[in-house]
Amino acid sequence: MKTCEVCGKTLTGSQRKFCSIHCKQKTFAPNYGTAAYRPMPEREGDNCIYCDKPLIGRQTLFCSRQCKIKGRSVYPSQNKRKRSRKIAFIELRDGQCKICGYDKNLSGLSFHHRENKEFTIDSHTLGRLPLQKSLKELEKCDLLCHNCHFEHHYPWMTLVILLEQSAKGNLLALQPSQTHRCIICEQELTGSQKQFCSRKCSNSYHQNYENQQRRGIERKVKLVNQLGGRCTQCGYNKNLASLIFHHTSGKSYGLDLRSIANRSLDSLMAEFEKCVLLCHNCHAELHNPQLDKNEVTKKHSN
Ligand SMILES: [Zn+2]
Ligand SMILES: [Zn+2]
Ligand SMILES: [Zn+2]
Ligand SMILES: [Zn+2]
Ligand SMILES: [Zn+2]
């Protein structure tokens, strides 16, 4: 009986050496099998992927030159493959946001599912799953910039409305749809319907709404307002979900909705002092200067 060379599981069917793509990938790292081997990180987070120290400023994967040199030799093929596939997929969708035409930086673009989502297309899944499978999934997707994408999924987080409500002290009181379309799926409303076309849409709104935690949204509206209510870089101010607090120094934790809802006000304010307000597009540009459209086209044509 044959077993997987990596994890030792019994092989089935047509498997010859490995039980899964995951196990096969592990052997691509040059140090595989030695003490210096480190498995691929699950995703590119806010810590150095080599030594796990928090990243600062424009750092994207590594915290220092040393880590970059050491890290590149540990995970070269995966990084390159993930990146080049994402670029190719973006080009297959005309290289720009379908709604606003944004195309400045590739990391500011993401794939939105029109229907039947099986998995998210991002650099993580692109590096891991077979190309054919990802291509099939791409057929169901449109390319959107982060800001338009958030606006689409969080129509009830329109900033001017939230600011008005917050000033009156009744945040997120449901307003009748302005356009006579369902505020979730945009289907035409009929009869006495005011916001939703169906129970399903109504439920999805209320579940999301509770998940996002009223307190988090309430506090975020106030913090955003204190920082001028718009992206410091480009002036974007349409949707609360598209705005993010970016650390300019000494990050202890990220100011996402969950931490904003759950941390004490004192701790929040200390963290808030270190931040500037950016939209998701500008934030992606800041963290991934190497994915600027001009940089990428230069490299490709070389
Ligand atoms: Zn857009
Ligand atoms: Zn989407
Ligand atoms: Zn609906
Ligand atoms: Zn911006
Ligand atoms: Zn940032």
Side-chain angles (χ1 to χ4, degrees):
M1 197 166 44
K2 280 201 194 163
T3 54
C4 172
E5 288 188 11
V6 174
C7 72
K9 258 200 216 144
T10 309
L11 297 181
T12 57
S14 60
Q15 293 168 345
R16 301 173 73 190
K17 288 179 160 180
F18 309 105
C19 69
S20 65
I21 293 253
H22 195 71
C23 281
K24 186 176 171 194
Q25 285 226 343
K26 286 186 181 170
T27 65
F28 287 159
N31 291 325
Y32 175 70
T34 72
Y37 169 71
R38 284 169 62 101
M40 272 299 288
E42 284 296 307
R43 64 178 202 95
E44 299 169 11
D46 278 344
N47 291 347
C48 173
I49 67 170
Y50 193 73
C51 75
D52 217 39
K53 269 199 211 131
L55 298 177
I56 51 164
R58 287 177 163 246
Q59 294 167 348
T60 54
L61 293 173
F62 302 104
C63 70
S64 64
R65 251 182 77 79
Q66 287 92 312
C67 281
K68 186 170 174 181
I69 293 162
K70 288 181 211 153
R72 278 280 140 81
S73 65
V74 178
Y75 330 107
S77 55
Q78 283 93 339
N79 279 334
K80 240 170 89 195
R81 178 162 108 167
K82 277 201 260 182
R83 188 142 294 164
S84 58
R85 276 201 184 164
K86 186 163 181 208
I87 293 170
F89 271 52
I90 285 174
E91 278 163 3
L92 283 172
R93 281 285 170 273
D94 296 334
Q96 53 171 302
C97 171
K98 201 184 171 189
I99 294 175
C100 74
Y102 175 94
D103 66 353
K104 214 167 142 214
N105 189 297
L106 298 187
S107 67
L109 294 162
S110 57
F111 299 98
H112 163 69
H113 278 77
R114 289 185 307 272
E115 57 193 4
N116 311 333
K117 175 166 169 176
E118 250 174 73
F119 56 88
T120 306
I121 300 184
D122 55 20
S123 46
H124 179 58
T125 52
L126 283 174
R128 221 182 40 159
L129 297 170
L131 189 56
Q132 286 310 320
K133 198 173 162 148
S134 305
L135 277 169
K136 241 182 121 190
E137 198 66 17
L138 181 69
E139 286 170 18
K140 300 181 263 174
C141 293
D142 286 331
L143 191 62
L144 294 183
C145 75
H146 292 323
N147 293 352
C148 290
H149 204 171
F150 278 108
E151 285 168 27
H152 181 86
H153 286 285
Y154 300 96
W156 62 90
M157 286 216 218
T158 304
L159 189 58
V160 269
I161 296 178
L162 292 180
L163 282 169
E164 255 171 47
Q165 292 175 347
S166 160
K168 282 190 224 142
N170 66 337
L171 194 73
L172 294 179
L174 269 187
Q175 303 216 336
S177 166
Q178 308 286 317
T179 56
H180 262 275
R181 288 175 181 280
C182 170
I183 63 174
I184 295 297
C185 75
E186 283 168 32
Q187 236 178 77
E188 200 95 40
L189 297 177
T190 55
S192 62
Q193 293 172 344
K194 291 218 166 57
Q195 295 102 18
F196 307 108
C197 70
S198 61
R199 177 141 301 260
K200 190 173 152 237
C201 283
S202 161
N203 284 345
S204 117
Y205 176 89
H206 287 97
Q207 268 160 22
N208 273 323
Y209 165 61
E210 262 140 42
N211 288 347
Q212 297 294 351
Q213 296 165 359
R214 189 189 183 89
R215 186 156 55 144
I217 298 176
E218 259 167 13
R219 285 178 169 179
K220 187 174 174 186
V221 170
K222 289 192 181 126
L223 294 177
V224 160
N225 200 22
Q226 272 185 50
L227 285 180
R230 48 178 70 235
C231 170
T232 346
Q233 202 72 33
C234 73
Y236 174 95
N237 66 351
K238 264 166 91 180
N239 192 293
L240 184 72
S242 306
L243 290 164
I244 188 174
F245 300 103
H246 166 73
H247 281 75
T248 53
S249 64
K251 176 171 175 176
S252 329
Y253 58 88
L255 286 173
D256 53 28
L257 218 46
R258 182 183 304 200
S259 62
I260 291 176
N262 298 328
R263 300 274 180 159
S264 78
L265 274 177
D266 283 348
S267 151
L268 266 183
M269 288 319 284
E271 211 52 35
F272 175 71
E273 296 283 296
K274 301 180 247 171
C275 293
V276 293
L277 192 62
L278 290 178
C279 74
H280 269 285
N281 289 1
C282 290
H283 191 232
E285 287 166 22
L286 181 73
H287 282 278
N288 303 281
Q290 78 286 6
L291 289 179
D292 186 277
K293 191 189 171 195
N294 296 325
E295 289 292 312
V296 174
T297 353
K298 238 192 292 169
K299 263 184 215 145
H300 263 214
S301 51
N302 278 348

